[in-house]
Amino acid sequence: SWETATFRISLAAQYAAPGDTIRVAAGVYTDPQTIVLNGGLTLIGAGLDSTELRNSGTPTVQIRCEDGNLSISDMMFTSQPASPYPIAIHFSASAFALSVERCRFFQYEGAVLSSAAFLDVKNCAFINCGFSDASDAIHVGWGSGNGRFMNNTFIADWHDILDTYSVYIDWPFRGGEFEFSNNIFMGYHTHIYVALSTQPVVIENNLFLNNDLEPYPTKRAFLPYISLVTEEAIVRNNLFEGNCTEPVAPEDISCVDIRLYRNVQVYNNIFIGEQIGVKVRHDNEYQGTPPFTYTIDHNAFWLESPYPHVVFNSLDFHPYDSFYCESYYHETDTTISVIDSNLCRDPMFVDTLGYLLQAGSPCIDAGRPDILDLDGSRSDIGPFGGSAGQFYVYQDLPPATPAEFTGSARSNGATLQWQKNSESDLRQYVLFKSTTGAISLDSAHVACYFPLDSDTLLRRTPDDLSILVWNDSTFDPGLGARYTIVAVDSNGLVSQPANEVYFVGTAVGDEPELPLPQSIELEQNYPNPFNAATAIVYNLPNIGAQPASVRLIIYNILGQEVRTLVDEPQPPGRHVAYWDGRDRGGNDASSGVYLYSLQVSGIDYVKNRRMVLVK
């Protein structure tokens, strides 16, 4: 109340009675002494962007609780690195619960040190917490109880401190049941470590992103994303983005490392990048209690070679045995090992910021059949599938531009090759060719269609199954030729064209510099009619002030503007724009005839063209 208000949080804590709530107004507070919150108190700020508790060197512990439940919310904790390094919250009331919600912690030796019977951390951000070896953003001490970590973000941007952890749980013998869901982890050398828990540890719907371990190759065996020395573990519907930059042996770093297993289930996860996926090991230090069961199924592995997907080292496997996407079943008196129904295919993300799946992804409805998404369908593989995932609309994007498009010419023909696209919904390639000038992406310049099953026209090189090759027997070395290629998916979406390959005259060499267009040219869109997307090619001459102001506009048959595709200055040369059949509001345009017009430096291009959208 106003009658009990004070200018320091520590004084308010001294005056508070058990069960009271302390509300802290907006502002910056630099309390010179430790704030003791005993007796079952609640501390509420005005918001993590409004109420800041700042450590300017003292005390070494900002908030301490030794008795009673404690709830802290809606505050920002900030500190500057100092010696000794400060601790934000130290909770040693082992018979009680600690709740931390909607708080931000910036630059602490440890943000939360807890021995609570139950620790609940939700909707918090931990930024650069942990400044020395064996320090952690959250440290759950020996003898603690259970815990839940939901919707938090852990970020560290250093690369010179070893053995830092996002969450370190040390022998929780009074409980040990922990849940991690919908968190983002990035930058710490190990994100989750649980030691000697006999209760289930569930890790689901989290993003684990790019641990950079390159400076410490000798430490790789001890620094996975997740390290569980536990008897019961469920790791499901997570994304692991690996980042080992050198080939490693099977005993080195992995995304998931599990020991002391009795019942381990790893399913519905996506593993991408350069890192071993899952390592399960049973050593003499942690024997556990048989029978031991480990099941690794319905995961998607998109890992760079030579990184194996699964590595075993147990009572039945000596030394390390590596597995890729093959299925495996092995049963003894002590152990049942199952590897089954895993994918080795591109997950097809919309982008690598949100990691949402595209329409056509092989991970959609491909998780365990008994696990459902929020919409009631079979679970997707990945961080947004399952009952704790999210509902979203799958975007249908064009395929990626065919990569590494190169060629060579001989007197009896030309050979072209390119990197095979990894999209699961790819339908065909279309190769364009011109012997008289610039290539237009229209039917008149199509040299060949390549359905994926067209082995008579398209073959893979013996040494690399991802390289596709085609021989053009009609190539005339006297005329020369220009080639480009696009990829088309099963819904008719067309990629951007690959770089052009040039053969001039009878000589084969580097691509010559293209002459600039002499006039404005607006070509017919391709494909036309189209279903989902179409390409529009136009050429800009080197006339007047450059770069010139360019607008490319779509109109309906009534002359009403539907969409502006281009509105920016552009240099002379050949340009390609794509229309996905949507209006300016992102809504699908109806079937019918549309016009497109090019404006350069404010002058309408007089030769409009028509195109047909067919749904």
Side-chain angles (χ1 to χ4, degrees):
S1 67
W2 286 110
E3 291 76 19
T4 58
T6 183
F7 63 95
R8 280 185 14 210
I9 303 174
S10 58
L11 291 177
Q14 293 178 26
Y15 301 146
D20 277 356
T21 295
I22 301 173
R23 292 188 176 273
V24 186
V28 178
Y29 300 83
T30 55
D31 225 308
Q33 64 187 67
T34 297
I35 301 168
V36 180
L37 299 176
N38 289 331
L41 299 179
T42 298
L43 180 66
I44 302 177
L48 56 81
D49 294 319
S50 302
T51 301
E52 177 183 351
L53 182 55
R54 183 179 298 174
N55 189 298
S56 58
T58 58
T60 57
V61 176
Q62 287 189 272
I63 293 179
R64 184 187 298 277
C65 179
E66 300 172 342
D67 179 64
N69 298 323
L70 176 61
S71 176
I72 300 175
S73 64
D74 301 287
M75 297 186 66
M76 175 168 55
F77 295 79
T78 61
S79 174
Q80 297 298 321
S83 183
Y85 298 106
I87 303 297
I89 301 172
H90 188 182
F91 187 91
S92 57
S94 58
F96 298 93
L98 170 63
S99 173
V100 183
E101 187 170 1
R102 296 184 303 278
C103 289
R104 180 184 299 145
F105 300 86
F106 179 68
Q107 294 191 150
Y108 282 89
E109 167 76 2
V112 178
L113 273 65
S114 169
S115 297
F118 184 78
L119 174 62
D120 192 14
V121 182
K122 295 185 295 187
N123 301 297
C124 294
F126 301 85
I127 303 170
N128 286 357
C129 292
F131 281 102
S132 62
D133 290 0
S135 64
D136 324 303
I138 297 177
H139 186 100
V140 179
W142 182 85
S144 61
N146 306 314
R148 178 175 58 185
F149 306 87
M150 297 179 62
N151 302 315
N152 303 293
T153 300
F154 298 83
I155 298 176
D157 59 8
W158 51 66
H159 302 287
D160 57 348
I161 301 176
L162 296 177
D163 299 332
T164 56
Y165 297 83
S166 297
V167 181
Y168 187 101
I169 300 174
D170 187 10
W171 204 354
F173 69 83
R174 292 189 306 106
E177 185 172 341
F178 291 93
E179 176 187 351
F180 299 83
S181 62
N182 293 289
N183 303 285
I184 298 175
F185 299 90
M186 183 168 63
Y188 286 87
H189 283 176
T190 297
H191 290 305
I192 299 175
Y193 178 85
V194 182
L196 300 178
S197 172
T198 59
Q199 301 301 313
V201 176
V202 178
I203 301 173
E204 61 181 351
N205 298 100
N206 303 282
L207 294 175
F208 297 89
L209 307 177
N210 263 346
N211 283 7
D212 187 355
L213 303 177
E214 185 179 8
Y216 309 107
T218 60
K219 286 284 186 177
R220 282 182 175 153
F222 308 103
L223 297 174
Y225 286 101
I226 296 175
S227 182
L228 303 179
V229 186
T230 177
E231 290 196 20
E232 300 277 346
I234 297 176
V235 181
R236 64 188 176 204
N237 288 107
N238 303 283
L239 178 130
F240 299 90
E241 182 185 30
N243 191 33
C244 273
T245 56
E246 302 172 6
V248 294
E251 63 269 19
D252 284 325
I253 187 69
S254 61
C255 292
V256 178
D257 182 295
I258 301 177
R259 293 183 287 172
L260 187 65
Y261 53 85
R262 184 161 56 86
N263 182 14
V264 172
Q265 299 184 62
V266 180
Y267 60 90
N268 291 11
N269 303 282
I270 296 178
F271 299 86
I272 60 174
E274 301 177 63
Q275 201 154 306
I276 296 169
V278 182
K279 179 166 63 175
V280 181
R281 51 195 176 118
H282 195 120
D283 52 37
N284 293 328
E285 182 179 0
Y286 305 113
Q287 285 294 336
T289 303
F292 309 114
T293 301
Y294 39 78
T295 304
I296 302 171
D297 65 294
H298 294 88
N299 301 284
F301 294 97
W302 193 243
L303 300 171
E304 296 288 340
S305 177
Y307 300 94
H309 302 150
V310 180
V311 172
F312 285 134
N313 180 24
S314 68
L315 298 176
D316 300 323
F317 297 95
H318 295 287
Y320 287 90
D321 282 324
S322 299
F323 297 85
Y324 290 82
C325 261
E326 65 266 31
S327 296
Y328 178 80
Y329 181 86
H330 181 73
E331 182 175 356
T332 68
D333 293 338
T334 60
T335 304
I336 299 176
S337 316
V338 180
I339 305 175
D340 190 34
S341 301
N342 296 299
L343 302 176
C344 291
R345 298 164 70 184
D346 182 358
M348 293 177 59
F349 299 118
V350 171
D351 55 50
T352 53
L353 296 176
Y355 294 97
L356 300 175
L357 299 175
Q358 293 185 44
S361 166
C363 295
I364 295 175
D365 295 338
R368 278 192 178 178
D370 58 326
I371 305 297
L372 300 181
D373 285 341
L374 293 180
D375 62 1
S377 63
R378 178 175 169 177
S379 174
D380 292 350
I381 298 174
F384 303 105
S387 58
Q390 297 181 20
F391 176 80
Y392 63 98
V393 177
Y394 305 117
Q395 294 186 47
D396 196 0
L397 302 182
T401 303
E404 300 181 23
F405 185 54
T406 60
S408 60
R410 306 172 308 280
S411 60
N412 60 347
T415 299
L416 301 165
Q417 69 176 42
W418 60 95
Q419 185 80 28
K420 184 179 183 293
N421 286 48
S422 59
E423 294 91 351
S424 296
D425 61 347
L426 190 70
R427 184 181 71 190
Q428 67 177 356
Y429 292 95
V430 182
L431 186 81
F432 298 90
K433 175 183 177 182
S434 174
T435 59
T436 59
I439 302 177
S440 296
L441 301 184
D442 55 30
S443 57
H445 290 84
V446 172
C448 201
Y449 294 94
F450 299 114
L452 292 186
D453 58 355
S454 178
D455 293 332
T456 57
L457 296 176
L458 193 64
R459 67 178 179 85
R460 298 169 175 83
T461 59
D463 57 338
D464 189 346
L465 296 180
S466 66
I467 300 298
L468 305 177
V469 180
W470 180 65
N471 294 315
D472 182 8
S473 60
T474 66
F475 172 74
D476 184 342
L479 295 177
R482 294 174 180 170
Y483 299 89
T484 189
I485 193 169
V486 298
V488 183
D489 69 15
S490 57
N491 289 326
L493 295 178
V494 182
S495 75
Q496 294 194 30
N499 57 281
E500 292 188 5
V501 172
Y502 305 88
F503 302 123
V504 180
T506 57
V508 180
D510 297 332
E511 298 177 4
E513 183 177 353
L514 282 175
L516 292 175
Q518 299 301 307
S519 62
I520 300 174
E521 297 175 3
L522 180 61
E523 300 181 9
Q524 186 63 54
N525 64 301
Y526 174 82
N528 186 43
F530 70 100
N531 171 260
T534 189
I536 300 173
V537 178
Y538 56 95
N539 297 299
L540 302 177
N542 189 16
I543 300 173
Q546 299 297 332
S549 177
V550 176
R551 298 188 72 204
L552 180 62
I553 305 172
I554 308 294
Y555 298 94
N556 61 24
I557 198 65
L558 300 176
Q560 299 168 325
E561 184 176 329
V562 175
R563 178 88 170 268
T564 299
L565 297 183
V566 178
D567 188 4
E568 63 182 2
Q570 291 186 331
R574 179 176 179 273
H575 299 266
V576 182
Y578 294 87
W579 187 36
D580 59 3
R582 298 176 186 270
D583 62 20
R584 69 179 67 183
N587 303 309
D588 289 334
S590 59
S591 298
V593 177
Y594 291 85
L595 307 175
Y596 56 99
S597 179
L598 186 67
Q599 299 176 2
V600 180
S601 298
I603 301 174
D604 289 343
Y605 184 58
V606 295
K607 188 177 180 181
N608 297 321
R609 289 189 178 272
R610 294 190 178 194
M611 56 184 167
V612 179
L613 172 60
V614 179
K615 293 293 188 180

